Amino acid sequence: MKYKMKDFAAKHALTLGKHCVYGVFRGYHIHVKYTPIGNPRCLVTVVTDAREKQKQLEKYLDSNRQKLHISNFGVVKIGLMVCPRFTGEVFARVETLLEGICAHLKKAGFAGAEVCPYCGQSLEGGGILATESDIPFRVHEKCFMGALASARQKDAQNAAKPDKKALGALGGTLGALFGGVLFVLTYAWWGFGALGAAAGVLLAYFLFRKFGGKASAFAVAYCGAAALLLSLAGYVFGLYMDAHAAGGGWSELFSAALADGGGRALFIVNLVLTAVFAGAGTVYNACSYRKDRRTIADKMRRLDG
């Protein structure tokens, strides 16, 4: 019988949410988010007061990557996050991972669910149930309100930063240009280059932001359009190279491609899939933009009272 999320939740008296399960496991607030097509697929969070022991916890996770079967990890002041590697059933692996981590935390003296992770003091009276980064755990009301105020201030500072659209557009153009070059190369090798459009639109959006442009609808649209246009330009260059190899030039640009049924089919496939891959990459970027619009404070909520 397959060990599912609901079985894991029932076994450990945890709460099921949308694509997640959370509650107290072996004395610690935990949260497990799992989406089969997510990036990452699974993120496991354990809440604890790690302010004075972040380096110690990072060293433990790094030296036990293979034993714990984790691909990546992060440690912040109020806990740790790990991405499991899967070789079998998801929640059987998650259960083993949490058993190992929680046992280490307890042995190393890390505070559990009875302590506020913000201040490290006992939660007399139970505190309040709140979230940070959409992770539910219990804290002192005063500590939560202070953390929320700090998050709002940081969000305001981020919003006030200038949007360097010109530099962002330069980065987006360079990413899209890479896609066009990749199109030419893969077309020259295999006669099919549409994957260059997908690479171009994703890299364009990444570089748009790296060069100082803010995540925005403009960034998504610009990168999608630039990647599509430069990929099509790469296709035209590839067709020209075919015509040149056949002894022709620009006037015979489409002659080789449309000379027979197979050539016409490949021509159509390249065009259609270039548009499809550029569109799919743009949709992915749009989803990332929507996700990025949620600020730090947006992910902090009081759940009771």
PDB file of all heavy atoms in Angstrom, residues 131-147:
ATOM      1  N   THR A 131       1.843  32.483  10.984  1.00  0.00           N
ATOM      2  CA  THR A 131       2.671  31.942   9.905  1.00  0.00           C
ATOM      3  C   THR A 131       3.764  32.934   9.522  1.00  0.00           C
ATOM      4  O   THR A 131       3.587  34.146   9.615  1.00  0.00           O
ATOM      5  CB  THR A 131       1.853  31.654   8.634  1.00  0.00           C
ATOM      6  OG1 THR A 131       1.402  32.893   8.061  1.00  0.00           O
ATOM      7  CG2 THR A 131       0.667  30.765   8.918  1.00  0.00           C
ATOM      8  N   GLU A 132       4.892  32.391   9.116  1.00  0.00           N
ATOM      9  CA  GLU A 132       5.927  33.149   8.417  1.00  0.00           C
ATOM     10  C   GLU A 132       6.336  32.297   7.226  1.00  0.00           C
ATOM     11  O   GLU A 132       6.563  31.081   7.369  1.00  0.00           O
ATOM     12  CB  GLU A 132       7.128  33.443   9.306  1.00  0.00           C
ATOM     13  CG  GLU A 132       8.187  34.248   8.564  1.00  0.00           C
ATOM     14  CD  GLU A 132       9.281  34.816   9.459  1.00  0.00           C
ATOM     15  OE1 GLU A 132       8.965  35.172  10.615  1.00  0.00           O
ATOM     16  OE2 GLU A 132      10.422  34.911   8.994  1.00  0.00           O
ATOM     17  N   SER A 133       6.408  32.922   6.045  1.00  0.00           N
ATOM     18  CA  SER A 133       6.656  32.183   4.797  1.00  0.00           C
ATOM     19  C   SER A 133       5.631  31.074   4.629  1.00  0.00           C
ATOM     20  O   SER A 133       5.932  29.991   4.106  1.00  0.00           O
ATOM     21  CB  SER A 133       8.075  31.608   4.767  1.00  0.00           C
ATOM     22  OG  SER A 133       9.026  32.635   4.798  1.00  0.00           O
ATOM     23  N   ASP A 134       4.409  31.333   5.117  1.00  0.00           N
ATOM     24  CA  ASP A 134       3.283  30.399   5.047  1.00  0.00           C
ATOM     25  C   ASP A 134       3.491  29.150   5.895  1.00  0.00           C
ATOM     26  O   ASP A 134       2.786  28.153   5.722  1.00  0.00           O
ATOM     27  CB  ASP A 134       2.989  29.992   3.596  1.00  0.00           C
ATOM     28  CG  ASP A 134       2.502  31.153   2.749  1.00  0.00           C
ATOM     29  OD1 ASP A 134       1.837  32.049   3.297  1.00  0.00           O
ATOM     30  OD2 ASP A 134       2.785  31.170   1.531  1.00  0.00           O
ATOM     31  N   ILE A 135       4.447  29.182   6.822  1.00  0.00           N
ATOM     32  CA  ILE A 135       4.701  28.052   7.725  1.00  0.00           C
ATOM     33  C   ILE A 135       4.023  28.324   9.061  1.00  0.00           C
ATOM     34  O   ILE A 135       4.365  29.302   9.741  1.00  0.00           O
ATOM     35  CB  ILE A 135       6.217  27.856   7.966  1.00  0.00           C
ATOM     36  CG1 ILE A 135       6.993  27.854   6.655  1.00  0.00           C
ATOM     37  CG2 ILE A 135       6.460  26.591   8.780  1.00  0.00           C
ATOM     38  CD1 ILE A 135       6.605  26.778   5.696  1.00  0.00           C
ATOM     39  N   PRO A 136       3.046  27.510   9.486  1.00  0.00           N
ATOM     40  CA  PRO A 136       2.357  27.766  10.762  1.00  0.00           C
ATOM     41  C   PRO A 136       3.169  27.278  11.969  1.00  0.00           C
ATOM     42  O   PRO A 136       3.764  26.201  11.944  1.00  0.00           O
ATOM     43  CB  PRO A 136       1.061  26.942  10.633  1.00  0.00           C
ATOM     44  CG  PRO A 136       1.016  26.453   9.218  1.00  0.00           C
ATOM     45  CD  PRO A 136       2.428  26.412   8.743  1.00  0.00           C
ATOM     46  N   PHE A 137       3.191  28.081  13.030  1.00  0.00           N
ATOM     47  CA  PHE A 137       3.812  27.694  14.295  1.00  0.00           C
ATOM     48  C   PHE A 137       3.323  28.647  15.376  1.00  0.00           C
ATOM     49  O   PHE A 137       2.754  29.696  15.085  1.00  0.00           O
ATOM     50  CB  PHE A 137       5.352  27.701  14.203  1.00  0.00           C
ATOM     51  CG  PHE A 137       5.932  28.988  13.671  1.00  0.00           C
ATOM     52  CD1 PHE A 137       6.299  30.019  14.531  1.00  0.00           C
ATOM     53  CD2 PHE A 137       6.119  29.167  12.306  1.00  0.00           C
ATOM     54  CE1 PHE A 137       6.847  31.196  14.039  1.00  0.00           C
ATOM     55  CE2 PHE A 137       6.668  30.345  11.809  1.00  0.00           C
ATOM     56  CZ  PHE A 137       7.022  31.358  12.668  1.00  0.00           C
ATOM     57  N   ARG A 138       3.557  28.290  16.628  1.00  0.00           N
ATOM     58  CA  ARG A 138       3.086  29.094  17.752  1.00  0.00           C
ATOM     59  C   ARG A 138       4.196  30.020  18.244  1.00  0.00           C
ATOM     60  O   ARG A 138       5.370  29.617  18.350  1.00  0.00           O
ATOM     61  CB  ARG A 138       2.576  28.204  18.883  1.00  0.00           C
ATOM     62  CG  ARG A 138       1.455  27.267  18.463  1.00  0.00           C
ATOM     63  CD  ARG A 138       0.638  26.784  19.633  1.00  0.00           C
ATOM     64  NE  ARG A 138      -0.299  27.807  20.083  1.00  0.00           N
ATOM     65  CZ  ARG A 138      -1.512  28.010  19.547  1.00  0.00           C
ATOM     66  NH1 ARG A 138      -1.948  27.257  18.560  1.00  0.00           N
ATOM     67  NH2 ARG A 138      -2.288  28.970  20.025  1.00  0.00           N
ATOM     68  N   VAL A 139       3.813  31.276  18.541  1.00  0.00           N
ATOM     69  CA  VAL A 139       4.766  32.305  18.956  1.00  0.00           C
ATOM     70  C   VAL A 139       4.101  33.222  19.986  1.00  0.00           C
ATOM     71  O   VAL A 139       2.887  33.192  20.170  1.00  0.00           O
ATOM     72  CB  VAL A 139       5.223  33.171  17.750  1.00  0.00           C
ATOM     73  CG1 VAL A 139       5.996  32.349  16.753  1.00  0.00           C
ATOM     74  CG2 VAL A 139       4.018  33.840  17.085  1.00  0.00           C
ATOM     75  N   HIS A 140       4.920  34.059  20.618  1.00  0.00           N
ATOM     76  CA  HIS A 140       4.357  35.127  21.442  1.00  0.00           C
ATOM     77  C   HIS A 140       3.704  36.164  20.523  1.00  0.00           C
ATOM     78  O   HIS A 140       4.252  36.495  19.474  1.00  0.00           O
ATOM     79  CB  HIS A 140       5.456  35.817  22.256  1.00  0.00           C
ATOM     80  CG  HIS A 140       6.021  34.965  23.340  1.00  0.00           C
ATOM     81  ND1 HIS A 140       7.379  34.782  23.518  1.00  0.00           N
ATOM     82  CD2 HIS A 140       5.411  34.236  24.319  1.00  0.00           C
ATOM     83  CE1 HIS A 140       7.584  33.994  24.556  1.00  0.00           C
ATOM     84  NE2 HIS A 140       6.408  33.646  25.051  1.00  0.00           N
ATOM     85  N   GLU A 141       2.561  36.669  20.931  1.00  0.00           N
ATOM     86  CA  GLU A 141       1.876  37.681  20.122  1.00  0.00           C
ATOM     87  C   GLU A 141       2.759  38.908  19.908  1.00  0.00           C
ATOM     88  O   GLU A 141       2.859  39.438  18.798  1.00  0.00           O
ATOM     89  CB  GLU A 141       0.567  38.097  20.796  1.00  0.00           C
ATOM     90  CG  GLU A 141      -0.216  39.116  19.988  1.00  0.00           C
ATOM     91  CD  GLU A 141      -1.553  39.452  20.620  1.00  0.00           C
ATOM     92  OE1 GLU A 141      -1.767  39.086  21.793  1.00  0.00           O
ATOM     93  OE2 GLU A 141      -2.388  40.089  19.930  1.00  0.00           O
ATOM     94  N   LYS A 142       3.443  39.351  20.958  1.00  0.00           N
ATOM     95  CA  LYS A 142       4.305  40.529  20.862  1.00  0.00           C
ATOM     96  C   LYS A 142       5.447  40.290  19.878  1.00  0.00           C
ATOM     97  O   LYS A 142       5.794  41.172  19.076  1.00  0.00           O
ATOM     98  CB  LYS A 142       4.855  40.886  22.242  1.00  0.00           C
ATOM     99  CG  LYS A 142       5.722  42.138  22.259  1.00  0.00           C
ATOM    100  CD  LYS A 142       6.203  42.448  23.670  1.00  0.00           C
ATOM    101  CE  LYS A 142       7.086  43.703  23.683  1.00  0.00           C
ATOM    102  NZ  LYS A 142       7.577  44.011  25.059  1.00  0.00           N
ATOM    103  N   CYS A 143       6.038  39.101  19.916  1.00  0.00           N
ATOM    104  CA  CYS A 143       7.145  38.771  19.001  1.00  0.00           C
ATOM    105  C   CYS A 143       6.663  38.758  17.557  1.00  0.00           C
ATOM    106  O   CYS A 143       7.350  39.252  16.651  1.00  0.00           O
ATOM    107  CB  CYS A 143       7.744  37.419  19.368  1.00  0.00           C
ATOM    108  SG  CYS A 143       8.612  37.392  20.947  1.00  0.00           S
ATOM    109  N   PHE A 144       5.476  38.176  17.347  1.00  0.00           N
ATOM    110  CA  PHE A 144       4.939  38.114  15.984  1.00  0.00           C
ATOM    111  C   PHE A 144       4.658  39.509  15.436  1.00  0.00           C
ATOM    112  O   PHE A 144       4.999  39.813  14.287  1.00  0.00           O
ATOM    113  CB  PHE A 144       3.662  37.275  15.944  1.00  0.00           C
ATOM    114  CG  PHE A 144       2.986  37.305  14.607  1.00  0.00           C
ATOM    115  CD1 PHE A 144       3.512  36.610  13.524  1.00  0.00           C
ATOM    116  CD2 PHE A 144       1.826  38.054  14.402  1.00  0.00           C
ATOM    117  CE1 PHE A 144       2.907  36.644  12.278  1.00  0.00           C
ATOM    118  CE2 PHE A 144       1.205  38.096  13.169  1.00  0.00           C
ATOM    119  CZ  PHE A 144       1.754  37.389  12.100  1.00  0.00           C
ATOM    120  N   MET A 145       4.039  40.367  16.238  1.00  0.00           N
ATOM    121  CA  MET A 145       3.723  41.709  15.775  1.00  0.00           C
ATOM    122  C   MET A 145       4.997  42.494  15.461  1.00  0.00           C
ATOM    123  O   MET A 145       5.047  43.280  14.508  1.00  0.00           O
ATOM    124  CB  MET A 145       2.894  42.447  16.823  1.00  0.00           C
ATOM    125  CG  MET A 145       1.523  41.817  17.080  1.00  0.00           C
ATOM    126  SD  MET A 145       0.563  41.527  15.555  1.00  0.00           S
ATOM    127  CE  MET A 145       0.315  43.216  14.992  1.00  0.00           C
ATOM    128  N   GLY A 146       6.056  42.283  16.262  1.00  0.00           N
ATOM    129  CA  GLY A 146       7.337  42.939  15.990  1.00  0.00           C
ATOM    130  C   GLY A 146       7.943  42.440  14.683  1.00  0.00           C
ATOM    131  O   GLY A 146       8.465  43.235  13.888  1.00  0.00           O
ATOM    132  N   ALA A 147       7.881  41.128  14.451  1.00  0.00           N
ATOM    133  CA  ALA A 147       8.416  40.551  13.219  1.00  0.00           C
ATOM    134  C   ALA A 147       7.618  41.029  11.998  1.00  0.00           C
ATOM    135  O   ALA A 147       8.179  41.304  10.936  1.00  0.00           O
ATOM    136  CB  ALA A 147       8.394  39.032  13.292  1.00  0.00           C
TER     137      ALA A 147
END
